[in-house]
Amino acid sequence: YQKKNHPCSVGVFNVSMRQRILRENILKNGLPLAIDKQQLRVVFQPIVQAKDQNIVSFEALLRWNFHGENVSPDEFITIAEQYGLIVPIGTWVLQQSCLAAAQWAEYLKNVKPSVSVNVSLLQLNSPNFIDTVTSSLNIANLSANKLTIEITESIFASDKAILFERIKKLQSLGIKVSIDDFGTEYSSLSVIQDLAADIIKIDRSFVGKLNSNGLPIIEAIKQMATKLNYTVVAEGVETIEQVKVLTELDVEMLQGYYFGKPLELVEIKDYLLKHSI
Ligand code: C2E
Ligand code: MG
Ligand code: MG
Ligand code: MG
């Protein structure tokens, strides 16, 4: 075969490598200024209770508009982690999220959704993490039971002792802890055994395959979760069929485009007024 057309040929590899490094450089130079330049904002995606579809929470999702491009958080969070920016950025997200939740707690008498904030391992492990969380709550005057911290299970590759201690501390303050993207890492089972978190979020890859092998897996996760006293959230719910199946499986909470894409902060009041009974 012709070497130059082979996908593994040295030339092709070098070009894409160079492009990747160039892009990473541009992003890592832009990111430290993003907060001050008001390029970052937090959007909020509804999480509903399956049985009555009441809104129980909003997940805070960070957005970066960098000279007109919306850079995906999967890309820039990794860069923030690599270049020591995740702690200040994560602190800012926590503060904005608590302020937002305090605001929307005022809109309706009986509906006071919590806010779920994604936290990276480096942030959770940083020495001031608990102080950052409590001061974010205090400044916003938000009660601790209105905050959930989402952690991704891939973090369990790291120091478990610190992690367990931090999670216990958060829970003792009244904050809920959620294991995000559950099922996507090999350590899933040992994680929920060892770690007394409160919520499991089933990764959307399983929800997207409910017609094939996703169903028995979700069924098994749900059974296990119930026995271990976890609440289950299904991520990536996009169709009414998925809603029906997941509700029949007694999955407690649902999140996905079917119920709403992430909303701008200013859109939340209307959304709550429209979607609450
Ligand atoms: P995640 O925490 O698992 O968030 C859910 C992701 O799925 C979000 O992507 C959301 O927009 C997307 N999503 C929700 N419903 C649906 C659906 O029905 N279909 C499909 N196809 N996608 C859906 P997003 O906003 O791009 O965020 C990607 C990841 O970036 C998040 O995954 C989270 O791990 C990370 N991330 C986002 N914001 C933050 C943050 O403030 N801090 C940290 N550490 N990580 C963040
Ligand atoms: Mg999440
Ligand atoms: Mg997730
Ligand atoms: Mg994720």
Side-chain angles (χ1 to χ4, degrees):
Y1 64 96
Q2 293 248 295
K3 193 172 183 219
K4 68 172 162 49
N5 293 330
H6 191 270
C8 295
S9 87
V10 173
V12 172
F13 182 69
N14 275 344
V15 169
S16 69
M17 271 286 276
R18 194 156 65 225
Q19 276 168 351
R20 231 186 49 208
I21 291 167
L22 263 173
R23 177 165 171 83
E24 191 178 308
N25 261 309
I26 293 169
L27 296 181
K28 81 142 204 275
N29 291 332
L31 198 49
L33 308 170
I35 293 180
D36 284 348
K37 289 192 167 178
Q38 302 187 329
Q39 294 167 347
L40 292 181
R41 71 186 197 286
V42 183
V43 291
F44 300 93
Q45 187 180 32
I47 301 175
V48 308
Q49 203 155 259
K51 63 168 192 265
D52 50 17
Q53 304 199 355
N54 276 338
I55 299 140
V56 286
S57 190
F58 285 94
E59 179 172 4
L61 294 161
L62 188 56
R63 295 291 177 264
W64 182 21
N65 189 297
F66 187 45
H67 305 309
E69 183 198 354
N70 285 309
V71 186
S72 154
D74 284 322
E75 186 175 20
F76 73 78
I77 293 289
T78 309
I79 289 176
E81 287 171 341
Q82 277 167 357
Y83 294 96
L85 299 165
I86 194 65
V87 171
I89 289 175
T91 299
W92 185 82
V93 172
L94 263 166
Q95 289 167 347
Q96 300 301 306
S97 301
C98 290
L99 288 168
Q103 203 176 311
W104 64 57
E106 302 293 312
Y107 297 152
L108 290 160
K109 208 165 168 229
N110 301 319
V111 185
K112 307 206 177 295
S114 63
V115 67
S116 303
V117 180
N118 293 286
V119 160
S120 130
L121 168 68
L122 292 170
Q123 213 184 330
L124 191 73
N125 280 344
S126 72
N128 293 328
F129 181 69
I130 299 291
D131 289 344
T132 302
V133 172
T134 50
S135 75
S136 300
L137 289 169
N138 289 341
I139 290 166
N141 197 18
L142 184 71
S143 122
N145 65 11
K146 292 295 169 201
L147 176 63
T148 298
I149 297 291
E150 296 195 5
I151 48 186
T152 305
E153 59 172 307
S154 60
I155 62 172
F156 296 99
S158 87
D159 190 336
K160 288 192 182 174
I162 297 183
L163 192 69
F164 288 7
E165 175 227 295
R166 292 281 151 89
I167 287 169
K168 276 215 190 91
K169 182 71 192 167
L170 290 171
Q171 290 171 321
S172 75
L173 294 168
I175 296 159
K176 287 190 190 64
V177 177
S178 179
I179 300 172
D180 208 349
D181 302 341
F182 184 75
T184 52
E185 294 285 326
Y186 68 94
S187 59
S188 313
L189 295 182
S190 67
V191 162
I192 59 166
Q193 186 184 39
D194 296 349
L195 189 91
D198 305 285
I199 299 161
I200 283 174
K201 298 188 79 173
I202 300 178
D203 192 71
R204 70 166 182 264
S205 58
F206 302 112
V207 175
K209 282 184 231 145
L210 270 181
N211 290 328
S212 53
N213 57 9
L215 181 61
I217 292 176
I218 293 182
E219 222 167 347
I221 293 176
K222 171 58 190 157
Q223 246 181 49
M224 202 166 53
T226 302
K227 288 195 175 148
L228 295 168
N229 278 321
Y230 284 91
T231 299
V232 177
V233 181
E235 299 186 296
V237 180
E238 294 181 350
T239 67
I240 181 78
E241 288 76 24
Q242 291 167 343
V243 174
K244 281 184 187 147
V245 175
L246 292 163
T247 307
E248 267 166 36
L249 290 178
D250 281 329
V251 169
E252 288 92 344
M253 294 195 253
L254 310 174
Q255 176 182 6
Y257 296 164
Y258 179 81
F259 298 101
K261 294 206 167 172
L263 300 164
E264 301 293 334
L265 182 57
V266 295
E267 296 174 314
I268 290 188
K269 187 172 188 175
D270 278 351
Y271 183 90
L272 281 176
L273 292 174
K274 219 176 277 168
H275 290 84
S276 305
I277 318 135

